[in-house]
Amino acid sequence: MEKHFLWRACHEILPTKANLGAKKVTEDSYCPVCERAEETIYHALWECPAARDVWSVGCIKFQKSHFEGPSFLQVVEGMLKSWDQMEFAQFANIARRIWLRRNELIHGGVFLNPNLLIQQAIRAVTLFHLVRNEVVPQEVACEASNHCNWKNPPIGWFKANWDAGVNQRF
Ligand SMILES: [Zn+2]
């Protein structure tokens, strides 16, 4: 799913405002999230302040990667050279969620908090690799978010998370 999304993003065929404007579908090509710049794919997924908010709570590599556009393909090419498969899978999953979050906003839905978005992406990628019986390095699974409080249990262990509440009447 992420591969298909990245393919569409790299080939500039996501329906951003700039792409719709070029096809005369809309006259407003400004980003619907920040309303500060033309909404290219590079802007929506990488350069937009709302996207930067997401990347800034990701792992150190996400925070320190300053791949320049103008195309999203250049960002992806830069990452392919220096990142491993797991990091790249997380990047692809997060980028897709940034796009889905943007669509949610347009349709009047909730604009997901960057921390939650990152946590959901990490869990999805980690689960995917676990299901495929691939070893998930713990630091990769959890370093991606400074606020991620879920850690993989050691191999052979199960981990049960629980929560408690008190119902008191006065
Ligand atoms: Zn924007």
Side-chain angles (χ1 to χ4, degrees):
M1 199 179 292
E2 278 78 30
K3 279 183 187 171
H4 182 61
F5 173 77
L6 275 190
W7 188 88
R8 290 170 63 211
C10 289
H11 286 81
E12 299 289 327
I13 50 178
L14 290 179
T16 59
K17 289 286 195 77
N19 283 346
L20 294 177
K23 292 179 181 172
K24 312 281 185 215
V25 177
T26 177
E27 288 182 5
D28 171 22
S29 62
Y30 269 70
C31 172
V33 180
C34 71
E35 299 178 340
R36 290 186 205 168
E38 188 179 43
E39 194 202 33
T40 59
I41 293 173
Y42 173 75
H43 176 86
L45 302 180
W46 190 248
E47 185 190 50
C48 180
R52 297 310 313 164
D53 283 347
V54 173
W55 297 117
S56 71
V57 294
C59 72
I60 297 295
K61 280 194 175 177
F62 292 158
Q63 293 169 21
K64 292 192 174 175
S65 296
H66 296 291
F67 301 111
E68 294 291 331
S71 77
F72 189 66
L73 177 63
Q74 285 167 286
V75 176
V76 171
E77 283 176 344
M79 286 171 185
L80 278 172
K81 284 179 193 160
S82 53
W83 292 15
D84 66 30
Q85 194 184 355
M86 188 74 176
E87 290 161 343
F88 193 74
Q90 286 186 359
F91 163 76
N93 196 290
I94 292 166
R96 183 169 157 268
R97 286 170 192 272
I98 289 174
W99 178 251
L100 294 176
R101 183 178 73 151
R102 171 260 191 212
N103 293 342
E104 282 272 322
L105 180 73
I106 287 178
H107 296 112
V110 176
F111 197 64
L112 197 62
N113 174 293
N115 291 323
L116 283 175
L117 189 153
I118 289 278
Q119 285 182 22
Q120 288 178 1
I122 292 166
R123 285 177 189 171
V125 173
T126 304
L127 189 64
F128 177 76
H129 284 262
L130 284 174
V131 167
R132 292 180 61 189
N133 288 325
E134 292 175 9
V135 177
V136 181
Q138 187 160 315
E139 66 274 14
V140 172
C142 257
E143 79 161 359
S145 171
N146 297 330
H147 308 282
C148 174
N149 51 20
W150 186 89
K151 287 185 167 53
N152 286 330
I155 291 171
W157 288 71
F158 290 98
K159 188 169 184 177
N161 293 324
W162 61 282
D163 201 357
V166 176
N167 190 359
Q168 208 169 26
R169 288 187 187 184
F170 293 98

